[in-house]
Amino acid sequence: MPAKMKLSNIDVLKLLTVSNGGSLLTGFSERVYHKKEIISTPYSDGDRIFVVKSGRLRVYLSCEDREFTLALLEAGDIFSTHVKTYAEAMDDSVIMTADTKVFQQKLIQQPDISITVIKVLGILLKNSINIIEGLAFKDVRQRFYDFLTNAIEDRGNNTDDGIVLRLQLSTEDIALLIGTSRQTVSTLVNELIKCQAIKKIDRQTLLIIKPEVLTQVSPEIP
Amino acid sequence: MPAKMKLSNIDVLKLLTVSNGGSLLTGFSERVYHKKEIISTPYSDGDRIFVVKSGRLRVYLSCEDREFTLALLEAGDIFSTHVKTYAEAMDDSVIMTADTKVFQQKLIQQPDISITVIKVLGILLKNSINIIEGLAFKDVRQRFYDFLTNAIEDRGNNTDDGIVLRLQLSTEDIALLIGTSRQTVSTLVNELIKCQAIKKIDRQTLLIIKPEVLTQVSPEIP
DNA sequence: TACAAAATGTCGTCTACCTGACAGATTTAA
DNA sequence: TTAAATCTGTCAGGTAGACGACATTTTGTA
């Protein structure tokens, strides 16, 4: 029900290679992007489709000196420059890319793919609506708790001590995802630590001790 | 470049009837909805496609006692309940509807339609991203000015005195579109009137005298 | 034409959160 | 190992805008 941090549950990589004799990846070219390298901007020309083969991308909006992260993409995720956003590599990443026109040709030849494209677009749309819902209705604390809840669902590991959550995100990264400032996230994290709801294992990973706290309707203000 | 109030520029109605011998509307059934009637909610069951034949719909999110309008739909616009939103008739409206499954059958039979569906979804996605951009980066005044600018582009009529803009929206309606309160919109409108940038012709229609004011980067605070 | 209902204008209060500043901690490079 | 760079925590001050309250205006309808 809630938004995934991962863009889609459909592994497009698998889909494109497996279906119909693997002819789909022809026309795609591969490239390595280094950490922090910009992959595309709203002003890059040409409509292109990207498929993440490995690494991690951040898709974000930018306005003057502010940014807002729309999604983090991992292996198997897809996106298109037709949506006017920035994309940058968060780690060294391998990206496969094709021109949209080439892709559209494929769509016409193999109509069954278009069903998948429609599905992916549907997921993208659902994600953006979830983001709007957060921004329009919820305060920062709520958005942060929702973010954690989704992250747990997505990549949390149950252990005896609690749920281990390797976020691989800095405070600032989280702030950009939920639309707030670095400082506010910092405060919120430490607030949860003081409540004994979570613990820090190291800079990048949390131990969630009381996940209930995150889903309470009106969390007690300490 | 900016978001349209109208959901898409593709007249789906025309598209569905005209292309390929008009067989596309088979499977669609028609219904009249009265003003303020709810057409669908996130909890309505069944995935359905809607096409607006006449009238006006409001697609919105709701959370506790707050609402946020995602789009206003008019004749020729389309939407699907697969996106979990509310939809209500703003005027008496005629809506054509079909089950998504039936529609998917059509897609398989007539692959060229799927290109259109992909286009519509792309537009929807672009709109939501524009909304996110507004909520994440801009203050209420900016969002209101953007709203007016888009509305002018969309339905403004040039006259000797200025641009006549028949919004057919109450203050509250506008507030729900830009994510603010009724009171704030009221203040903002009167602020523009005092600046002589706009004038009220009647409750539902404005005369835009100085459209420049709306597009200034940093509008003077009166 | 009158009364109820709805829409609008305006004001003061209150608060969530941004911003800047700075100190301390951690990581990286050299 | 030391310095530079980056990341984190915390606090004080300022502000946009929500919200409630209420008066006023407009609209619908009996």
Side-chain angles (χ1 to χ4, degrees), chain A residues 71-215:
Chain A
L72 301 179
L73 308 192
E74 298 177 337
D77 285 334
I78 192 172
F79 90 110
S80 146
T81 59
H82 138 261
V83 217
K84 291 302 175 199
T85 59
Y86 295 82
E88 75 168 21
M90 297 185 79
D91 303 322
D92 294 354
S93 306
V94 181
I95 314 291
M96 316 207 335
T97 168
D99 197 279
T100 308
K101 275 168 203 146
V102 176
F103 200 77
Q104 271 181 6
Q105 285 304 315
K106 280 186 207 287
L107 283 190
I108 292 160
Q109 286 156 28
Q110 295 176 283
D112 52 323
I113 317 168
S114 57
I115 304 278
T116 309
V117 174
I118 290 173
K119 257 182 214 155
V120 172
L121 282 172
I123 293 165
L124 252 40
L125 195 56
K126 197 172 279 190
N127 280 347
S128 0
I129 289 174
N130 279 327
I131 293 173
I132 294 173
E133 207 152 1
L135 292 175
F137 298 135
K138 299 177 184 174
D139 63 13
V140 174
R141 181 178 285 109
Q142 276 271 16
R143 298 209 294 273
F144 175 59
Y145 288 5
D146 287 355
F147 160 77
L148 281 182
T149 308
N150 293 333
I152 289 169
E153 208 171 293
D154 213 40
R155 49 188 350 104
N157 279 323
N158 278 332
T159 70
D160 293 350
D161 301 330
I163 304 159
V164 174
L165 187 57
R166 278 211 75 205
L167 283 175
Q168 310 202 68
L169 297 170
S170 71
T171 312
E172 173 99 56
D173 289 335
I174 298 172
L176 292 176
L177 271 164
I178 62 179
T180 185
S181 66
R182 198 212 95 220
Q183 293 94 319
T184 304
V185 173
S186 172
T187 310
L188 253 21
V189 171
N190 293 331
E191 183 182 297
L192 284 178
I193 293 175
K194 264 164 216 145
C195 291
Q196 322 249 4
I198 68 172
K199 234 187 209 175
K200 267 200 179 172
I201 296 181
D202 68 57
R203 192 165 261 193
Q204 304 275 34
T205 104
L206 297 175
L207 179 71
I208 315 293
I209 304 163
K210 302 184 198 154
E212 330 79 77
V213 173
L214 305 176
T215 48

Side-chain angles (χ1 to χ4, degrees), chain B residues 175-191:
Chain B
L176 292 177
L177 270 165
I178 62 179
T180 185
S181 65
R182 199 211 94 221
Q183 292 97 318
T184 304
V185 173
S186 171
T187 309
L188 253 20
V189 170
N190 292 331
E191 183 184 296

